Amino acid sequence: MSLLDIQNLSVNIEKKQVLDGVNLSVDAGETHVLMGPNGAGKSTLGYTIMGNPRYTVSNGKIIFDGEDITKLSPDKRAAKGIFLSFQQPLEVPGITLESFIRNALQQQTGERVKLFQFQKELKATMQLLNMDESYASRDLNVGFSGGERKKSEILQLLMLKPKLAILDETDSGLDVDAVRTVSKGIEEYQKRQNGALIIITHSTKILESLSVDKTHVLVKGKIVKDSDGTLVQKINEEGFEQFLR
């Protein structure tokens, strides 16, 4: 049984159809890459899997870990082990990065998080990501650079240990060194968790150190091509023109 099984999924935003009959299966431990031109519906698919109420499922189902989650709220999906990173992570004044992650862990497990062990793991994970430890006591993303915001999300990924991580344009706006650091964090997630990944990207830089199992091309709300990891290089060389026809 697949960890994630999307069946004939169609999605509307304010009565406009943005996904049309999407089928996608992801097994535990697999890395899938979702590519396509701007406006193809890539981010929409990520938000829909996560349960963003702006996106209305008009047809189809989302099965996660053997359960139909199509109508579940985002917090319940997160508790079941789904994680979504954002293209533009939001600032959250009034709650520190450390408190945010600790509270999220408690919501996820339903158990009190032991402070000493949590802080020890947080410190080690921040060091892995070359992140200044002072960021743990700063308000979430407030005053963070673009690179530090993305590192903050990978930090959350490693600390929360979800079964499925959806990374939406995580490499957007990052310099070469930041991309390497983020890629290292994603690699670590794969090693630690045997976690499944859906990486939504226009670029192939973040994929260079990762083993890609399957690549999907989304055009105008439909998956028009499924292949293995070699398709990433082909798209990198030839673009999306062949799929737009």
Side-chain angles (χ1 to χ4, degrees):
M1 180 185 294
S2 298
L3 177 66
L4 176 70
D5 189 15
I6 295 174
Q7 303 174 358
N8 199 32
L9 186 70
S10 295
V11 174
N12 296 339
I13 300 178
E14 298 176 353
K15 298 183 179 180
K16 179 183 178 182
Q17 188 174 61
V18 285
L19 292 179
D20 182 9
V22 171
N23 292 285
L24 179 68
S25 292
V26 181
D27 291 340
E30 286 187 339
T31 296
H32 289 233
V33 174
L34 187 63
M35 304 185 81
N38 287 330
K42 303 184 300 297
S43 295
T44 294
L45 182 57
Y47 285 123
T48 303
I49 294 170
M50 197 67 235
N52 187 317
R54 185 183 173 213
Y55 302 86
T56 303
V57 175
S58 59
N59 191 52
K61 292 180 180 180
I62 303 170
I63 309 295
F64 181 71
D65 211 9
E67 179 182 351
D68 187 345
I69 63 166
T70 312
K71 295 182 180 179
L72 283 187
S73 60
D75 60 314
K76 290 181 179 176
R77 298 187 198 204
K80 289 184 180 297
I82 302 177
F83 175 93
L84 172 67
S85 76
F86 298 96
Q87 288 187 38
Q88 301 293 333
L90 299 175
E91 293 186 358
V92 185
I95 182 168
T96 66
L97 174 58
E98 179 179 341
S99 295
F100 178 82
I101 295 173
R102 191 176 175 210
N103 289 336
L105 270 172
Q106 290 179 164
Q107 290 292 321
Q108 185 184 73
T109 62
E111 299 176 0
R112 187 171 176 273
V113 174
K114 294 179 180 178
L115 183 60
F116 176 77
Q117 184 59 38
F118 168 78
Q119 290 181 330
K120 182 180 177 182
E121 185 178 352
L122 182 68
K123 180 178 179 180
T125 308
M126 292 185 82
Q127 288 175 347
L128 174 75
L129 296 173
N130 296 322
M131 230 181 144
D132 189 325
E133 291 173 28
S134 67
Y135 278 79
S137 58
R138 291 176 57 177
D139 285 359
L140 179 62
N141 293 329
V142 176
F144 287 24
S145 68
E148 294 300 341
R149 289 188 184 207
K150 297 299 176 76
K151 286 183 184 180
S152 165
E153 291 213 304
I154 300 302
L155 176 67
Q156 294 166 45
L157 169 67
L158 292 173
M159 292 296 294
L160 294 173
K161 305 175 180 69
K163 295 177 184 177
L164 170 67
I166 305 162
L167 307 181
D168 189 4
E169 302 286 358
T170 299
D171 52 350
S172 175
L174 300 184
D175 61 29
V176 173
D177 290 336
V179 168
R180 286 193 189 122
T181 300
V182 167
S183 294
K184 184 179 178 182
I186 296 170
E187 265 191 294
E188 191 66 24
Y189 164 74
Q190 288 178 309
K191 290 177 192 173
R192 290 183 186 180
Q193 292 304 116
N194 192 36
L197 277 165
I198 298 176
I199 301 176
I200 300 168
T201 185
H202 283 99
S203 168
T204 58
K205 289 187 295 182
I206 200 168
L207 305 174
E208 289 174 0
S209 61
L210 302 176
S211 175
V212 175
D213 296 290
K214 294 182 182 178
T215 306
H216 313 277
V217 179
L218 194 67
V219 175
K220 295 181 180 178
K222 295 183 178 183
I223 291 180
V224 298
K225 179 71 173 178
D226 297 288
S227 188
D228 57 20
T230 60
L231 182 58
V232 172
Q233 185 59 35
K234 186 175 181 181
I235 291 171
N236 196 37
E237 293 170 354
E238 302 177 11
F240 295 110
E241 185 62 31
Q242 59 188 308
F243 305 109
L244 299 179
R245 293 192 296 267

